[in-house]
Amino acid sequence: MKGVRRAAVLAALATLPLGLLPAVASAAPEGPVFKDGEAQAVFDPKDVVKESVWVRAPVDSDRDGRDDEVYAEVVRQAATTRGLKVPVVFFNSPYFSGGNNVPNHNVDVELYVPDRRGGYDKRDGSLLKAEADERIAAAVGPNAGPITSTRYEAYFISRGFAMVYAESLGTGKSSGCPTSGGRNETIGSKSVIDWLNGRTTARDASGASVKASWSTGKVGMMGVSYNGTLPNAVASTGVEGLEAIVPIAAISSWYDYYRADGAVVAPGTYQGEDLDVLAKYVYSRDDKEICKPVIAEIEARQDRVTGDYSPFWDERNYVKDAHRVKAAVLAVHGLGDWNVKVKHVAQWYEALRRNGVEHKIWLHQSGHTDPDTLRSAEWRRTINRWFSHYLYGIDNGIEKEPKSTIQREDRTTWVDEADWPAPGTSTARLFPWAGGSAKGALRSSAVPGRPVVESLRDDSSKLSEDLIDLPSSGNRLSYATRASSSPLRLSGTARVNLAVSFDRPAANVTALLVDRAPDGTSHVITRGWTDPQNRLSPSKTKPVKPGHRYRIEVDLEPQDYIVPAGHSVEFVLISSDYDYTLRPKPGAGLSIDLTSTVVELPVVGGSPALRRSVG
């Protein structure tokens, strides 16, 4: 009705002689409304202005002699055409235009053993380019249509936040090349924030300049998986205007996505994928030739031979740049996520806390997913309050609330705590006792006396879950506590310190922590991997001498888990992990000295709580 009345007034004024027009005050722009610290749904999510722009990024990743451009689509309230300025919720993705059919690497291969000179056979660059050409030629065509809106669009638009969607470099209508976390992708995403703050230019399809005069310059980024990794990457630059991010199931260091302490390790359910495969998958821009040399270089430099950390991987490590972060971070992760493993959120969160960055962590019991799929009203309320506070400056107190929210195993209980890992957590130690080929004991005191050595032989064709449940096996060693007398909570990172020898110069090492129920069923709490050739550093491969005993430490993936009363905790050692590691031919032998092997658990309540529960 307001619009009808305004139109009638303007029509009447149009009939007056020009010199008789009265002075009319311009209508005040509509504005957001907040209640109890939350933005309210006061805007019609269908009454919007949409525009498409290409934002200039100061990088030339496709090496064509011109700055790359990031294609972005803006959805903003119609009121922004009448003077209203709003902040932005920004979604950046390499997936908006679909993906290509790209094969993964073969993982049924022998492990790398250095030659006498300590070198290895680097593959010929022309061969790598030929392989890149072949894989990209097999790709399906791009789907560079309009960017599909997210499940959050109507929610945020109605509450006074504009939405911006952008396609990563090398994808869809953007130029440049995809590099799976490379610096150019970060610069491209950052450039959109620069445009929203007037620091770089953008054009429309006709080439005309487009300014974001409707933007307040305050931006929040969010997304899931790769789309959540980009907020971490951009925040690590310290860009002005990025006030808050909500990375969900996000990578914090790409090395830890495809490697583990020198071992080539896959993200869960994507065995054989690597950086080059992902770059080929998202390479959806029209020009299918220009990025082939760039992707061939990725395939060579990612080094699936040694698995070593290198400057190539360091470029893709955002944890080291946590001190640059200015945005408030609401880090969200599934405790059952074996794709982007929990280590990513744990190490990112710890680095942010250590550097005084505003932070909160939200952990749920599902896997690699958006918690919005859990249909939790508290989730949307949290992100509303997060962006209302950091993008609109609403004093709702969210920055003073408990830093940790965890969904418990019953999937209905949500617990707020001061921080994570849980306060009161400290390391408690358990020690394996003889009998591991069947079921040895796991006790709070070490094996006395002279060395006690037990051995296993690798069989990479067997699933770890199957090995765990065998009553006896020469392919794994298993040690269990007695049934717990009370619930035992683990919060943080478990690790195993092994005294181990090998009968070959290369072998995988996999450690698992298992919850064993009274009925005999098992559940893997967490697991971890290492390459013993990287025992000194993830960056340095040093040959293993067969028969020599080494101190090897295996960090398991961080976890927050309550072992129920009546259940036991098991430590299981295997060599190759069928779903995650490379799979050499069976046969490698591992032997551990039980008298010098220790399992360290992050127990809430520490050693006293562990002794009370499992003795």
Side-chain angles (χ1 to χ4, degrees):
M1 292 299 293
K2 181 193 295 185
V4 173
R5 287 197 298 269
R6 186 170 183 271
V9 170
L10 292 176
L13 290 174
T15 64
L16 296 175
L18 186 60
L20 299 178
L21 284 174
V24 179
S26 60
E30 300 94 326
V33 174
F34 298 88
K35 181 180 179 182
D36 298 327
E38 299 177 43
Q40 302 297 299
V42 296
F43 294 93
D44 181 353
K46 295 181 181 179
D47 186 19
V48 295
V49 174
K50 296 185 178 183
E51 54 189 334
S52 299
V53 298
W54 283 260
V55 178
R56 186 186 68 82
V59 62
D60 180 16
S61 62
D62 56 12
R63 304 167 187 172
D64 66 352
R66 299 187 298 271
D67 282 346
D68 293 343
E69 289 187 316
V70 177
Y71 175 69
E73 293 183 4
V74 177
V75 184
R76 53 188 171 92
Q77 297 78 3
T80 57
T81 65
R82 301 187 289 274
L84 178 67
K85 290 181 179 289
V86 295
V88 168
V89 176
F90 174 26
F91 285 81
N92 195 189
S93 177
Y95 299 136
F96 284 138
S97 289
N100 302 310
N101 183 17
V102 183
N104 290 345
H105 292 275
N106 177 27
V107 298
D108 296 319
V109 297
E110 293 306 304
L111 302 178
Y112 161 68
V113 178
D115 63 24
R116 292 180 180 179
R117 297 163 296 174
Y120 62 94
D121 182 21
K122 290 182 179 291
R123 302 180 66 192
D124 180 75
S126 61
L127 175 61
L128 291 171
K129 183 179 183 302
E131 289 182 357
D133 291 355
E134 180 181 351
R135 291 185 180 184
I136 294 169
V140 300
N143 178 31
I147 294 175
T148 303
S149 63
T150 71
R151 63 194 304 136
Y152 294 103
E153 183 176 299
Y155 182 83
F156 283 124
I157 287 290
S158 67
R159 287 163 173 79
F161 302 91
M163 301 291 287
V164 171
Y165 306 99
E167 296 193 293
S168 293
L169 294 181
T171 74
K173 298 178 184 177
S174 295
S175 62
C177 292
T179 56
S180 301
R183 183 69 178 169
N184 67 306
E185 289 186 350
T186 301
I187 292 172
S189 188
K190 172 182 175 292
S191 296
V192 176
I193 298 171
D194 286 334
W195 172 66
L196 292 167
N197 282 272
R199 295 189 296 265
T200 193
T201 58
R203 64 171 180 85
D204 63 17
S206 70
S209 176
V210 180
K211 297 184 183 296
S213 56
W214 48 269
S215 168
T216 65
K218 293 184 180 296
V219 181
M221 290 186 73
M222 68 180 293
V224 181
S225 193
Y226 204 148
N227 304 352
T229 301
L230 289 164
N232 283 345
V234 178
S236 73
T237 70
V239 60
E240 294 289 342
L242 182 60
E243 305 295 332
I245 64 172
V246 184
I248 304 169
I251 293 167
S252 59
S253 172
W254 285 85
Y255 181 83
D256 296 317
Y257 187 61
Y258 289 117
R259 306 287 184 269
D261 201 21
V264 176
V265 170
T269 71
Y270 291 93
Q271 179 63 292
E273 186 186 287
D274 215 322
L275 277 170
D276 65 308
V277 175
L278 185 57
K280 292 163 190 168
Y281 176 80
V282 303
Y283 182 23
S284 56
R285 62 175 289 187
D286 286 340
D287 189 333
K288 283 292 185 292
E289 295 297 322
I290 196 167
C291 292
K292 286 180 179 178
V294 174
I295 296 177
E297 290 172 14
I298 292 172
E299 186 164 3
R301 296 185 65 200
Q302 69 191 4
D303 183 9
R304 288 183 64 85
V305 179
T306 72
D308 288 355
Y309 189 83
S310 65
F312 172 82
W313 291 106
D314 199 60
E315 177 185 334
R316 294 162 171 81
N317 180 1
Y318 314 125
V319 178
K320 74 179 192 308
D321 294 324
H323 64 285
R324 302 180 187 274
V325 177
K326 299 175 183 176
V329 182
L330 171 58
V332 182
H333 220 92
L335 291 168
D337 191 345
W338 288 99
N339 180 342
V340 178
K341 304 172 187 73
V342 181
K343 179 177 183 177
H344 289 276
V345 71
Q347 65 187 2
W348 183 232
Y349 184 75
E350 170 57 29
L352 296 169
R353 177 172 52 200
R354 188 169 59 246
N355 285 281
V357 178
E358 289 279 359
H359 57 276
K360 180 174 174 61
I361 193 167
W362 182 290
L363 300 172
H364 58 85
Q365 290 293 328
S366 293
H368 192 64
T369 188
D370 187 331
D372 201 53
T373 62
L374 306 179
R375 301 186 182 278
S376 168
E378 186 60 26
W379 164 244
R380 287 209 171 185
R381 180 170 180 265
T382 298
I383 56 173
N384 185 328
R385 296 175 70 238
W386 194 258
F387 285 145
S388 292
H389 177 68
Y390 290 106
L391 301 189
Y392 267 113
I394 301 302
D395 185 12
N396 55 22
I398 194 168
E399 79 284 7
K400 302 173 186 175
E401 294 177 356
K403 299 299 183 185
S404 171
T405 298
I406 303 180
Q407 183 187 34
R408 293 288 14 142
E409 286 78 0
D410 62 8
R411 294 179 178 260
T412 60
T413 304
W414 293 85
V415 179
D416 289 329
E417 295 179 324
D419 215 333
W420 193 84
T425 300
S426 62
T427 299
R429 293 173 175 82
L430 290 170
F431 303 87
W433 286 55
S437 60
K439 188 80 69 182
L442 195 59
R443 300 178 180 174
S444 56
S445 59
V447 177
R450 292 184 299 178
V452 176
V453 177
E454 297 196 329
S455 303
L456 67 88
R457 197 155 293 282
D458 184 27
D459 188 345
S460 61
S461 68
K462 294 179 180 178
L463 293 172
S464 59
E465 288 79 5
D466 292 339
L467 290 172
I468 288 168
D469 286 336
L470 291 175
S472 181
S473 174
N475 303 127
R476 63 102 177 102
L477 296 172
S478 179
Y479 307 90
T481 67
R482 66 172 177 82
S484 58
S485 59
S486 59
L488 181 70
R489 181 178 172 190
L490 310 178
S491 183
T493 301
R495 60 181 49 87
V496 180
N497 287 291
L498 299 168
V500 57
S501 60
F502 307 88
D503 67 1
R504 296 185 182 182
N508 290 311
V509 177
T510 301
L512 304 104
L513 201 64
V514 177
D515 174 351
R516 179 74 63 179
D519 64 1
T521 57
S522 63
H523 169 73
V524 176
I525 300 171
T526 184
R527 66 214 304 161
W529 314 266
T530 193
D531 179 352
Q533 295 186 86
N534 289 88
R535 59 195 176 277
L536 302 178
S537 167
S539 304
K540 182 177 178 60
T541 290
K542 187 174 182 179
V544 166
K545 182 179 179 182
H548 183 83
R549 185 166 297 161
Y550 296 98
R551 298 297 309 180
I552 303 292
E553 184 175 274
V554 186
D555 281 356
L556 282 66
E557 288 296 315
Q559 188 55 253
D560 198 290
Y561 186 86
I562 297 175
V563 180
H567 291 223
S568 61
V569 177
E570 291 185 19
F571 156 55
V572 178
L573 181 71
I574 61 175
S575 182
S576 298
D577 192 346
Y578 183 89
D579 287 325
Y580 293 94
T581 66
L582 299 180
R583 301 191 292 236
K585 292 179 180 178
L590 283 66
S591 299
I592 62 170
D593 175 7
L594 302 186
T595 58
S596 299
T597 293
V598 184
V599 179
E600 298 181 344
L601 304 181
V603 177
V604 178
S607 295
L610 182 69
R611 287 194 296 270
R612 285 193 301 270
S613 180
V614 298

